């Protein structure tokens, strides 16, 4: 095992990302930039040093210690250009205001940190979920991990945005047990406007994944004003019914839990806010999905 990857975090005892108790591995990198993304720390191209403006008392200890002569941790361009994540400022900040939001790890290190969770997986029919970002963005790293856990007989799932080269990833998907894939909008222009990418490849990949005979759940992040209209939910459910042998949809209501991450990463310009959909709206959307003969799943 030699692959080296960028891991945002390894979350233990997760119960929202598939069956049973799961360990979720969040990998860095994603081809999309969704306007509601709650994990901007998984975006590529930014150094993952988070600084809390609320905690910082401007003592300047961090910059006095910085061997790269960074003059302000709030200057995102400067941090991106110079920081090598040596960790000195994190260690000595008196306010614990600085955090490293990506970790360079070997596949061995990831495996070691998960091995102790096997007992929980066995007792709960749980397993490991690869998330992100888009896990296929670091394909070699993902491949090593998935193959390893497959050989160990551990249940594995992936949360994917659906944007990947299917032929290159096919062997990895064949080793997984569950696939969660988003359909964010059936209108490609709207999809592109809000995520930076059209939906054609995603829909094509769902059709190809359907032939792998895996358990597939389509996820819809419900974003008011973007995709919560009857027409979109109906055409998504119809597509799912037509293409999956066991059609299942999970509706995930928009939430604002990622907003602090944007602030800490200096990504304030990328913050978009939406209304959180009410229980009544979610129920109406569930009923639409069910009326199309598609099962509604809930893990939360
Ligand atoms: S060391 Fe911590 S508290 Fe002091 S200026 Fe840096 S981030 Fe702020
Ligand atoms: S992690 Fe190291 S290089 Fe980066 S800002 Fe802190 S002290 Fe400087």
């Amino acid at each position: 095992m030699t692959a080296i990857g960028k891991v945002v975090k390894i979350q233990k005892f997760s119960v929202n990302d598939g069956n049973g108790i799961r360990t979720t591995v969040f990998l860095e990198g994603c081809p999309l930039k969704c306007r509601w993304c709650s994990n901007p720390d998984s975006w590529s191209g930014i150094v993952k040093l988070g600084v809390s403006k609320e905690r910082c008392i401007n003592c300047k200890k961090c910059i006095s210690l910085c061997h790269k002569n960074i003059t302000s941790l709030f200057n995102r361009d400067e941090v991106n250009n110079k920081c090598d994540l040596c960790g000195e400022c994190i260690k000595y900040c008196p306010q614990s205001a600085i955090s490293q939001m990506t970790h360079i790890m070997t596949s061995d290190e990831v495996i070691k940190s998960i091995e102790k969770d096997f007992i929980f997986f066995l007792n709960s029919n749980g397993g490991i979920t690869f998330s992100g970002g888009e896990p296929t963005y670091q394909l070699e790293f993902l491949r090593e991990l998935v193959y390893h856990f497959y050989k160990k007989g551990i249940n594995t799932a992936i949360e994917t945005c659906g944007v990947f080269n299917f032929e290159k990833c096919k062997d990895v998907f064949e080793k997984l047990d569950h696939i969660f894939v988003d359909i964010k909008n059936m209108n490609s222009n709207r999809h592109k406007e809000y995520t930076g990418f059209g939906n054609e490849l995603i829909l094509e990949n769902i059709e190809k994944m359907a032939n792998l005979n895996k358990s597939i759940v389509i996820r819809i992040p419900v974003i008011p004003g973007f995709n919560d209209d009857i027409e979109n939910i109906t055409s998504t459910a119809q597509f799912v019914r037509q293409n999956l042998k066991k059609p299942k949809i999970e509706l995930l209501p928009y939430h604002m839990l990622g907003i602090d991450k944007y602030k800490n990463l200096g990504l304030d310009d990328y913050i978009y806010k939406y209304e959180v959909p009410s229980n009544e709206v979610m129920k109406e959307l569930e009923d639409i999905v069910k009326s199309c003969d598609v099962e509604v799943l809930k893990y939360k």
Side-chain angles (χ1 to χ4, degrees):
M1 291 284 171
T2 51
I4 293 174
K6 290 181 181 175
V7 179
V8 177
K9 79 177 161 188
I10 298 176
Q11 187 173 296
K12 311 275 182 167
F13 299 106
S14 170
V15 289
N16 301 326
D17 303 313
N19 295 327
I21 295 173
R22 309 192 72 83
T23 295
T24 304
V25 182
F26 291 86
L27 298 177
E28 185 191 302
C30 186
L32 305 185
K33 263 203 176 65
C34 301
R35 288 191 185 180
W36 56 88
C37 179
S38 55
N39 294 321
D41 42 344
S42 67
W43 293 357
S44 19
I46 48 170
V47 173
K48 305 302 158 43
L49 200 64
V51 194
S52 164
K53 283 182 190 141
E54 281 76 31
R55 287 186 173 203
C56 176
I57 51 169
N58 203 22
C59 69
K60 298 197 177 2
K61 194 159 191 175
C62 50
I63 51 177
S64 70
L65 281 169
C66 179
H67 73 122
K68 291 285 186 178
N69 299 320
I70 287 173
T71 58
S72 167
L73 294 195
F74 294 109
N75 184 332
R76 186 48 36 195
D77 287 341
E78 199 183 2
V79 173
N80 282 343
N81 287 331
K82 295 185 183 170
C83 175
D84 63 3
L85 286 176
C86 73
E88 282 302 287
C89 59
I90 300 171
K91 219 185 304 173
Y92 293 106
C93 170
Q95 291 294 102
S96 303
I98 312 168
S99 52
Q100 187 174 332
M101 296 174 116
T102 284
H103 307 270
I104 310 290
M105 294 179 82
T106 65
S107 43
D108 268 346
E109 286 170 327
V110 175
I111 288 163
K112 225 172 247 159
S113 100
I114 296 177
E115 265 168 358
K116 27 182 146 28
D117 307 335
F118 283 9
I119 184 80
F120 301 109
F121 303 158
L122 291 175
N123 289 333
S124 69
N125 288 326
I128 298 159
T129 301
F130 295 97
S131 185
E134 166 53 40
T136 60
Y137 214 71
Q138 298 186 62
L139 186 57
E140 285 317 310
F141 191 57
L142 176 70
R143 181 176 279 120
E144 275 203 13
L145 294 170
V146 169
Y147 271 63
H148 175 85
F149 293 120
Y150 176 79
K151 280 186 205 140
K152 296 274 175 197
I154 300 295
N155 180 290
T156 51
I158 191 167
E159 294 178 332
T160 172
C161 70
V163 178
F164 53 80
N165 180 318
F166 181 79
E167 305 313 325
K168 286 189 180 158
C169 300
K170 187 177 174 206
D171 65 300
V172 175
F173 279 88
E174 283 171 340
K175 298 278 181 292
L176 292 159
D177 295 290
H178 304 284
I179 300 168
F180 295 92
V181 54
D182 283 7
I183 298 182
K184 303 177 207 300
N185 202 308
M186 288 300 285
N187 179 315
S188 191
N189 290 333
R190 292 281 281 162
H191 198 284
K192 189 166 184 187
E193 189 187 343
Y194 278 72
T195 71
F197 225 92
N199 67 9
E200 290 83 0
L201 180 62
I202 298 166
L203 301 182
E204 202 181 294
N205 278 343
I206 290 172
E207 289 176 29
K208 289 179 180 171
M209 285 189 283
N211 292 326
L212 296 176
N213 284 326
K214 298 285 168 186
S215 147
I216 300 181
V217 176
I218 304 296
R219 280 181 164 164
I220 307 176
V222 177
I223 315 297
F226 167 61
N227 64 359
D228 63 339
D229 51 289
I230 295 174
E231 191 192 342
N232 180 59
I233 298 297
T234 306
S235 62
T236 309
Q238 286 169 345
F239 174 87
V240 172
R241 195 194 55 225
Q242 280 156 17
N243 287 284
L244 298 190
K245 285 182 194 117
K246 292 185 181 164
K248 294 174 190 167
I249 284 180
E250 185 181 11
L251 294 158
L252 299 171
Y254 166 74
H255 61 73
M256 297 209 224
L257 299 177
I259 299 279
D260 279 349
K261 289 187 199 167
Y262 283 84
K263 291 182 181 165
N264 294 346
L265 285 164
L267 296 172
D268 302 54
D269 289 351
Y270 290 89
I271 297 177
Y272 294 88
K273 286 185 182 162
Y274 306 87
E275 251 177 62
V276 175
S278 65
N279 290 341
E280 290 72 30
V281 168
M282 293 304 293
K283 171 82 176 62
E284 276 171 32
L285 301 183
E286 275 176 40
D287 289 343
I288 294 171
V289 171
K290 285 178 192 162
S291 72
C292 297
D293 286 332
V294 174
E295 187 183 344
V296 174
L297 281 192
K298 280 185 186 175
Y299 289 100
K300 292 183 195 274

